[in-house]
Amino acid sequence: MTAPLDNDRLLRALMREPVDVTPIWLMRQAGRYLPEYNATRKRAGSFLGLAKNPDFATEVTLQPLERFPLDAAILFSDILTVPDAMGLGLYFAEGEGPKFERTVRDEAAVARLAVPDMASLAYVTDAVRQIRSALAGRVPLIGFSGSPWTLACYMVEGGGSDDHRRVKAMAYSRPDLMHRILEVNARAVTAYLNAQVEAGAQALMIFDTWGGALSSTGYRAFSLDYMAQVVDGLKRESEGRRVPVIVFTKGGGLWLEDIAACGCDAVGLDWTIDIGLARARVGERVALQGNLDPAMLFASPAAIRAEVGRILAAYGRGSGHVFNLGHGISQFTPPESAAVLVEAVHEQSRAYHEP
Ligand code: CP3
């Protein structure tokens, strides 16, 4: 369980400590683009059958690491486990994405919300423990959660949404109700992430997928302030080592300086910002993670290698960069393209880390 890490590049890069090559992992690295994932999912019967069973969750977490020399594992789970544990009834309608049986749209539903007992999320912490032991120190394990705002988006809308009409209407017309949801979510997310650290997570990532849907002032009030509250409540050391925290707001490029000041160790970038400009803006304050357009994996190997070269050159010399996609890998990605990417990052980045 506490075996020393064979490969700790991820943790070192997140703390901006020297590395031999730039570490890489892929958002949604365990997923439907891998035939072995689809086979396990079939055996499990459904996505939730997979995510709620620690044996299956361990199996699929390890699958991408068997194929590619990735520098991190990420817990196989979902951000929506938290509202599910709040009693909202998560389900997946075939081909339609996540849905909730009960939404949180009125005063009464908001009043009923409470921080769930972490015992109802024991399948997640059990999976963390099991994955750690299966990894046996190969690479660090990343735990994660949705941001309070992104969870609120699904809780109020009752599923995915193109325009976030209901959740934004609530934020702008009944900020009192929205703040009450966000306050409960922030406490739930803090407890959930700390439970993952206690079970063995070695780094944490907060996914703020929908922060970028807000106005500048809305983003600070409804998303960033609550992520700062979460970060402030996290256990930052475990097994004698720092547990770095990555905050990823999709579409957050305009607010980089503010995100970098929220208390996190690293900021996740989508593909819309130049990583060199991002580095110049946040300076030595945080590490950066990203920022290859996931659609680049539909291009030729030569184009993938060239884009890797461009991003590495834009970031420049020295540590503090964790290579990743700017968002989750598409289910239609050829696995061979992911192999080309991982190899290119390790090969081409060496020159940027030589003394
Ligand atoms: O990165 C990893 O490999 C870890 C696993 C992971 C999943 N979801 C597995 C998953 C992580 C980190 C998430 C986070 C997540 N889930 C987010 C934030 C990140 C992001 O993508 O912006 C969000 C918004 C969700 C909610 C969610 N879960 C959606 C919108 C969907 C449907 C997505 C789709 O592509 O259809 C899910 C289901 C889901 N979560 C799948 C996986 C592999 C696909 C489910 C399947 O097997 O059918």
Side-chain angles (χ1 to χ4, degrees):
M1 161 86 199
T2 50
L5 283 166
D6 299 333
N7 171 353
D8 68 350
R9 280 175 193 139
L10 174 91
L11 300 183
R12 297 183 64 82
L14 289 173
M15 297 314 299
R16 290 166 294 120
E17 294 163 8
V19 285
D20 56 344
V21 297
T22 301
I24 174 169
W25 67 279
L26 308 172
M27 285 195 255
R28 292 271 178 101
Q29 62 190 24
R32 286 168 297 182
Y33 74 109
L34 294 177
E36 58 271 33
Y37 169 86
N38 294 319
T40 308
R41 185 180 185 275
K42 204 163 170 185
R43 278 197 285 131
S46 65
F47 169 70
L48 282 180
L50 196 59
K52 290 192 174 183
N53 176 313
D55 292 332
F56 285 133
T58 301
E59 183 177 317
V60 298
T61 299
L62 278 268
Q63 285 171 348
L65 297 161
E66 304 298 337
R67 258 190 197 256
F68 318 116
L70 293 159
D71 296 296
I74 179 161
L75 162 70
F76 187 83
S77 188
D78 199 83
I79 63 166
L80 301 178
T81 53
V82 170
D84 185 49
M86 289 173 171
L88 301 190
L90 175 65
Y91 67 100
F92 282 80
E94 201 49 52
E96 277 187 79
K99 294 240 187 305
F100 285 110
E101 278 159 27
R102 288 165 288 281
T103 56
V104 183
R105 286 185 191 161
D106 55 27
E107 201 131 11
V110 173
R112 276 196 300 273
L113 276 185
V115 175
D117 182 347
M118 288 302 129
S120 61
L121 290 159
Y123 65 89
V124 177
T125 42
D126 287 346
V128 170
R129 273 185 286 270
Q130 223 170 294
I131 295 163
R132 270 300 297 277
S133 104
L135 282 170
R138 271 165 76 180
V139 291
L141 175 63
I142 303 168
F144 71 91
S145 170
S147 71
W149 164 255
T150 292
L151 295 182
C153 288
Y154 289 94
M155 293 160 72
V156 175
E157 300 288 344
S161 167
D162 289 334
D163 57 5
H164 296 103
R165 176 168 57 84
R166 292 185 178 92
V167 70
K168 290 171 78 175
M170 187 193 279
Y172 298 145
S173 67
R174 287 295 306 271
D176 58 316
L177 289 186
M178 183 50 64
H179 283 300
R180 155 93 183 132
I181 298 175
L182 294 168
E183 188 231 307
V184 174
N185 285 359
R187 284 189 283 121
V189 164
T190 306
Y192 184 55
L193 290 173
N194 281 332
Q196 292 181 38
V197 171
E198 270 150 37
Q202 293 153 294
L204 295 172
M205 175 151 167
I206 301 174
F207 286 89
D208 186 31
T209 309
W210 300 117
L214 287 160
S215 68
S216 278
T217 47
Y219 175 68
R220 281 168 188 82
F222 300 116
S223 187
L224 188 58
D225 280 1
Y226 289 93
M227 291 198 285
Q229 212 171 291
V230 170
V231 173
D232 190 52
L234 292 177
K235 195 172 172 221
R236 299 294 272 277
E237 214 182 280
S238 183
E239 303 172 44
R241 221 171 155 157
R242 174 92 170 174
V243 180
V245 178
I246 309 158
V247 167
F248 170 59
T249 294
K250 184 156 179 288
L254 289 169
W255 311 315
L256 262 192
E257 292 83 352
D258 293 326
I259 302 171
C262 82
C264 61
D265 301 287
V267 176
L269 305 174
D270 64 22
W271 61 88
T272 61
I273 185 168
D274 179 276
I275 196 168
L277 297 178
R279 186 181 191 183
R281 281 169 57 191
V282 299
E284 301 300 299
R285 276 171 286 169
V286 287
L288 295 171
Q289 175 175 279
N291 73 329
L292 185 82
D293 185 342
M296 192 53 75
L297 296 179
F298 297 117
S300 67
I304 295 169
R305 290 188 194 104
E307 184 64 4
V308 165
R310 190 198 63 74
I311 290 173
L312 290 173
Y315 184 82
R317 288 185 54 79
S319 186
H321 179 204
V322 173
F323 210 103
N324 205 320
L325 305 176
H327 200 201
I329 192 165
S330 157
Q331 65 177 116
F332 306 107
T333 305
E336 313 78 70
S337 295
V340 169
L341 168 63
V342 175
E343 189 190 289
V345 169
H346 286 157
E347 221 172 72
Q348 296 185 43
S349 64
R350 198 169 290 277
Y352 293 95
H353 297 287
E354 272 153 14

